[in-house]
Amino acid sequence: MPATAPQGVGQLRGAEPFPDGARRALADPQLRRNLRHATATIRAKSAAVIAEVPDWEQLRAAGSAIKADVLARLPELLEQVEARVTAAGGVVHWAADATEANSIVTELVAATGSDRVIKVKSMATQEIGLNEALESAGITPVETDLAELIVQLGDDRPSHILVPAIHRNRAEIREIFLRAMPGVDPALTDEPVVLAAAARRYLRQTFLTTPVAVSGANFAVAETGTLAVVESEGNGRMCLTLPETLITVMGVEKVVPTWRDLEVFLQLLPRASTGERMNPYTSMWTGVTPGDGPQAFHLVLLDNGRSAVLADEVGRQALHCIRCSACLNVCPVYERTGGHAYGSVYPGPIGAVLSPQLTGIADNASLPYASTLCGACYDACPVKINIPDLLVHLRDQAPHPRAEATAMAAAAYTMDHPALYAAAQRAARSSRVLGRRGRGLPPPLDGWTASRDLPEPPAESFREWWSKR
Ligand code: SF4
């Protein structure tokens, strides 16, 4: 089996299981208010623009089919990307895991002589813990996406794929800026326009004086070796065009075969993620262009457990993800706990199926249970990832306590024997002990009823009702 993401590096593993993190998050009413407001706003925006597209379902089916095709011939497509990028003057590096990717990027930055890099928002670099690796080599990474900047200045962790500071309101953001933003006006107010202007002043100066940028990539078009980044603020465009050196870290699953395939995703992604008809900034580049933009371009192709995910015929669907975050915004669990409870940089429903596969199920065993299996994520996903199916598949792989395994075996035996099953129903009803509201199961099964009520057994079973007729 291919290797999973290594321990001790990157941000795919939390310090505690999901239920512990969730319990703490649920006790924070401000966090819940912020989350409820933000997810409801994005949901409404997204639903309105999706309703405008008559062939949305066909687009989803096309997106899903293209991703399945990509995964079926990933090695061939990646070699095509490598050949095209190299032919266009770029340099391609293959990183088996987070450790290797971090050392490749750190060495590339060090070779430029710069002690600072500007960064485009990127899940892949967060996944591998690149900022920490750069800092330990004496290089300062500056996040330029506004929400990522808030998280970085606040010494915080992102809690949403698309809106990393979703857990912060504007009063909190003002405090963070006053405390940590270099050169900020002490008379700063918490008006969104004023906060954005303060960030713009600080970032503009940083863009103009930093010679190296690090980005992720939303897509790589294999037929030409073109990389694409979509964003809303223009900070990405600045990072991708102003510096002398550009280093892009991209998960190997981000490749699409042709421009025609890219067209499908450029329609799906903005409507499902930010609720926009198209992304305000879509930047594309192919290698280097003499006299225009960065004159040195490096592409780091990152595995970090993806080959292990690909090896699982059911689980590999998680690699279809285009990180739109629609599944987070509709998830009743995410809306109440926020992203930190998941531990990994990938929160919400997609995190619950991707993180345990990248790390190996033992390191994130509680995440497949961070769901009610309501199916809202499947309905919302623009590439039709059947997340509930994956959750069940992973629950099956997770280690189970002996008591639970014994109880399930007993239940299966009982249900397989009609007379025994009818007797068990009668026993449960006549005692009424298990069914009384507020009463839980006795040990060792009490964990199951710690946060659930057992349903009252009905006065008459279906079989009894049927036999009377
Ligand atoms: S799983 Fe689907 S809905 Fe969730 S982030 Fe990925 S593409 Fe978007």
Side-chain angles (χ1 to χ4, degrees):
M1 277 292 292
T4 48
Q7 293 182 339
V9 55
Q11 297 176 21
L12 286 171
R13 297 167 175 84
E16 59 188 357
F18 179 81
D20 296 346
R23 214 163 279 127
R24 204 179 13 267
L26 288 170
D28 181 345
Q30 179 66 52
L31 174 72
R32 293 178 63 177
R33 263 195 300 277
N34 295 355
L35 285 166
R36 191 165 53 238
H37 175 70
T39 53
T41 307
I42 304 176
R43 270 201 309 269
K45 256 183 96 181
S46 177
V49 292
I50 285 174
E52 297 171 353
V53 184
D55 60 347
W56 181 253
E57 285 309 314
Q58 287 91 328
L59 278 170
R60 289 178 78 208
S64 174
I66 293 166
K67 284 289 182 179
D69 170 53
V70 164
L71 295 185
R73 52 196 185 100
L74 193 56
E76 162 200 330
L77 290 170
L78 288 170
E79 284 175 7
Q80 197 181 355
V81 169
E82 180 183 36
R84 297 289 186 273
V85 170
T86 309
V91 182
V92 176
H93 309 258
W94 297 79
D97 58 29
T99 312
E100 210 177 334
N102 285 336
S103 79
I104 291 169
V105 177
T106 307
E107 281 169 27
L108 288 171
V109 177
T112 67
S114 176
D115 61 359
R116 187 168 66 184
V117 297
I118 44 177
K119 286 190 70 212
V120 188
K121 176 174 161 32
S122 146
M123 296 307 296
T125 61
Q126 283 173 26
E127 173 190 322
I128 62 177
L130 179 63
N131 284 7
E132 292 75 9
L134 289 171
E135 279 162 4
S136 65
I139 298 163
T140 306
V142 180
E143 295 289 351
T144 65
D145 172 87
L146 179 55
E148 287 290 355
L149 180 66
I150 293 165
V151 168
Q152 188 180 38
L153 293 176
D155 208 11
D156 199 354
R157 287 183 300 134
S159 66
H160 190 280
I161 292 176
L162 191 73
V163 201
I166 197 169
H167 55 292
R168 297 286 191 195
N169 62 22
R170 61 199 219 191
E172 293 172 302
I173 294 167
R174 172 178 172 270
E175 278 170 32
I176 291 170
F177 280 11
L178 284 174
R179 194 172 63 239
M181 182 179 280
V184 75
D185 179 357
L188 189 75
T189 70
D190 67 3
E191 283 301 304
V193 176
V194 176
L195 293 171
R200 187 176 296 125
R201 262 193 305 280
Y202 164 62
L203 288 174
R204 183 73 46 136
Q205 186 57 25
T206 313
F207 288 132
L208 293 172
T209 52
T210 310
V212 189
V214 174
S215 83
N218 292 98
F219 307 100
V221 184
E223 67 179 349
T224 54
T226 302
L227 278 294
V229 163
V230 295
E231 39 114 14
S232 300
E233 297 171 12
N235 64 300
R237 176 70 56 85
M238 298 281 232
C239 291
L240 298 167
T241 53
L242 282 174
E244 291 148 25
T245 301
L246 172 61
I247 303 163
T248 298
V249 181
M250 185 187 86
V252 288
E253 79 281 19
K254 296 284 177 174
V255 61
V256 296
T258 67
W259 282 82
R260 203 168 164 197
D261 300 316
L262 180 65
E263 181 213 332
V264 172
F265 296 108
L266 292 184
Q267 293 179 73
L268 288 170
L269 182 55
R271 289 180 195 258
S273 59
T274 45
E276 291 164 308
R277 295 186 180 95
M278 63 182 288
N279 290 98
Y281 293 85
T282 301
S283 302
M284 296 171 182
W285 69 101
T286 309
V288 294
T289 305
D292 184 15
Q295 296 300 292
F297 170 54
H298 296 269
L299 173 62
V300 182
L301 293 172
L302 175 72
D303 188 317
N304 206 35
R306 286 160 176 76
S307 294
V309 185
L310 187 62
D312 182 329
E313 282 181 23
V314 179
R316 70 172 60 144
Q317 261 195 82
L319 296 178
H320 292 195
C321 177
I322 55 173
R323 310 278 189 267
C324 72
S325 74
C327 57
L328 278 63
N329 300 328
V330 298
C331 177
V333 176
Y334 176 86
E335 184 176 318
R336 283 154 183 82
T337 65
H340 291 162
Y342 294 78
S344 160
V345 288
Y346 299 114
I350 184 58
V353 295
L354 185 60
S355 308
Q357 295 196 83
L358 290 173
T359 61
I361 186 78
D363 285 5
N364 269 311
S366 64
L367 286 185
Y369 294 91
S371 167
T372 62
L373 299 180
C374 70
C377 48
Y378 184 24
D379 292 341
C381 179
V383 287
K384 294 183 83 160
I385 300 174
N386 191 335
I387 295 176
D389 252 19
L390 292 188
L391 289 164
V392 174
H393 174 68
L394 293 170
R395 286 180 188 188
D396 198 33
Q397 294 176 2
H400 293 274
R402 189 187 293 268
E404 183 190 324
T406 308
M408 287 297 166
Y413 184 84
T414 306
M415 288 177 176
D416 209 24
H417 294 79
L420 199 54
Y421 182 62
Q425 281 184 318
R426 279 195 302 277
R429 195 168 61 243
S430 63
S431 70
R432 288 273 175 160
V433 170
L434 297 181
R436 215 166 286 160
R437 274 200 158 262
R439 296 285 294 264
L441 287 165
L445 306 174
D446 48 346
W448 196 87
T449 46
S451 56
R452 300 176 180 88
D453 289 331
L454 271 181
E456 288 269 347
E460 184 179 48
S461 74
F462 173 78
R463 285 152 183 269
E464 289 161 347
W465 175 87
W466 184 255
S467 65
K468 280 190 207 156
R469 284 156 178 80

